[in-house]
Amino acid sequence: MAKHFFTSESVTEGHPDKVCDQISDAILDSILKQDKNAHVACEVTATTGVVHIMGEITADCNIDTTAIARKVIKDIGYNDPKCGFDGNSCAVITSIDSQSPDIAMGVNESYELKDGENDVNNQIGAGDQGMMFGYACDETKELMPLPISLAHKLAKQLAKVRKDGTLPYLRPDGKTQVTVEYDDDKVLRVDTVVVSTQHDEDVSLEQIRADIIKYVIEPIIPSELLDDNTKIFVNPTGRFVIGGPVGDSGLTGRKIIVDTYGGFSRHGGGCFSGKDPTKVDRSAAYYSRYIAKNIVAAGLAKKCEIQLAYAIGVAKPVSIMVDAFGTSKYTNEQLAKAVEKVFDCRPNSIIEQLKLRETEYLPLAAYGHMGREELGVRWEDTDKTEELLRAIG
């Protein structure tokens, strides 16, 4: 591609869409702690003064969804009426039904099991049709693209300096964006950094800009990637007092590119939050990341994209695709054959391998689901590299 630019964005936990993601996953976590086999598809909307929890849940337990939602909102930082949205006083509406029996009959007993293939990993079928993508590259130690990695770190730092009192005038909503200049696949420099943060109304733009550069941007962006031509924009509209669900309505699953690879990889369209792991939108996306990361960690490619595709009620994927973008000495077909030898992509196997019924999902609902090595999630492990090397010969 020669020289080119690529941009990725992230958002803070106070962004209205992320508020909804976190409520959805907090409800899922609460249910799975009591019933690991529960079927959950929980979505949330939020706007001025109102949170609406809806979806399909079949579980052998009782939870207080209103209390869970209020706790999430207050923990994020919306606990003061001055922000315009307050977890203590907002209305919480719940509209929950049980899972459709037409869907359950395919999930609870797979097509293969009905056809006499009595393998333990054929016990459940895919919870929906669709395709999921995973990606890895060697740009960062966690094998994530640099633009989304830096954007997430900026967003987390923005929340940190708000919560630890370094910049007490900040409010929970915020967005970050990083543009990286490349020469082919080589990172050259950071070209542009954008940080937009909600704030108290009595703070000047000059102070906000100076503080964000000093306490957010400089500690995160490596100095060797910055130069005299790097452009920095802080609150470029000039004012960001009204934010969160008051400034814009929120919805679960509306930040799927933030949740994954910042646009570096293709996306099948399904979101993660609020879905139990029988939903391949979630589990197969994690597993495809696991496969791609192990391929790159094994040195078989510098970057790699995996696609898994499923039919509802069928355990085995209908297709497995590997694309190394010409960065491997092996063909994509050779890599795909090695993947099929090493990785069992049936939903029940994915759930067991990645321990998805024991995973806590709320911490993943902000700042990305991929590259989160600090959370100890299994799909970030690189424990299959030796098997891959043996399989490819």
Side-chain angles (χ1 to χ4, degrees), residues 65-98:
T65 55
T66 298
I68 292 169
R70 292 194 188 283
K71 183 179 188 306
V72 169
I73 294 165
K74 290 186 288 185
D75 287 348
I76 289 168
Y78 290 116
N79 51 16
D80 187 336
K82 288 192 299 183
C83 290
F85 188 74
D86 182 4
N88 296 294
S89 59
C90 66
V92 180
I93 303 168
T94 302
S95 305
I96 300 288
D97 290 316
S98 59

Side-chain angles (χ1 to χ4, degrees), residues 192-228:
T192 308
V193 179
V194 183
V195 177
S196 295
T197 179
Q198 189 185 13
H199 58 87
D200 291 347
E201 57 186 340
D202 58 351
V203 185
S204 70
L205 180 59
E206 290 72 23
Q207 181 182 350
I208 294 169
R209 285 178 171 166
D211 286 346
I212 293 301
I213 291 171
K214 179 178 180 180
Y215 294 108
V216 177
I217 296 174
E218 290 181 352
I220 296 301
I221 306 294
S223 58
E224 63 270 20
L225 294 179
L226 300 172
D227 57 34
D228 292 341

Side-chain angles (χ1 to χ4, degrees), residues 135-286:
Y135 182 83
C137 63
D138 62 359
E139 292 180 15
T140 61
K141 69 176 184 62
E142 67 272 24
L143 304 185
M144 287 286 286
L146 183 63
I148 189 64
S149 178
L150 291 177
H152 282 324
K153 289 175 181 176
L154 287 172
K156 284 191 277 189
Q157 181 72 2
L158 197 56
K160 178 180 180 294
V161 298
R162 170 176 63 88
K163 290 184 171 182
D164 68 14
T166 301
L167 301 179
Y169 60 80
L170 297 184
R171 292 180 180 178
D173 197 358
K175 301 181 80 171
T176 61
Q177 186 171 282
V178 177
T179 301
V180 173
E181 183 178 2
Y182 290 85
D183 188 355
D184 286 329
D185 289 332
K186 181 183 177 182
V187 171
L188 296 181
R189 54 188 286 276
V190 169
D191 181 75
T192 308
V193 179
V194 183
V195 177
S196 295
T197 179
Q198 189 185 13
H199 58 87
D200 291 347
E201 57 186 340
D202 58 351
V203 185
S204 70
L205 180 59
E206 290 72 23
Q207 181 182 350
I208 294 169
R209 285 178 171 166
D211 286 346
I212 293 301
I213 291 171
K214 179 178 180 180
Y215 294 108
V216 177
I217 296 174
E218 290 181 352
I220 296 301
I221 306 294
S223 58
E224 63 270 20
L225 294 179
L226 300 172
D227 57 34
D228 292 341
N229 294 318
T230 299
K231 299 176 284 294
I232 295 176
F233 297 98
V234 177
N235 282 16
T237 68
R239 178 180 168 88
F240 189 179
V241 173
I242 300 171
V246 177
D248 190 9
S249 60
L251 175 65
T252 297
R254 202 157 52 185
K255 286 291 175 283
I256 57 176
I257 301 304
V258 171
D259 286 342
T260 51
Y261 308 100
F264 249 80
S265 173
R266 286 168 284 192
H267 198 295
C271 78
F272 305 149
S273 291
K275 295 178 180 177
D276 75 82
T278 67
K279 314 292 191 295
V280 284
D281 279 344
R282 175 164 231 156
S283 53
Y286 291 161

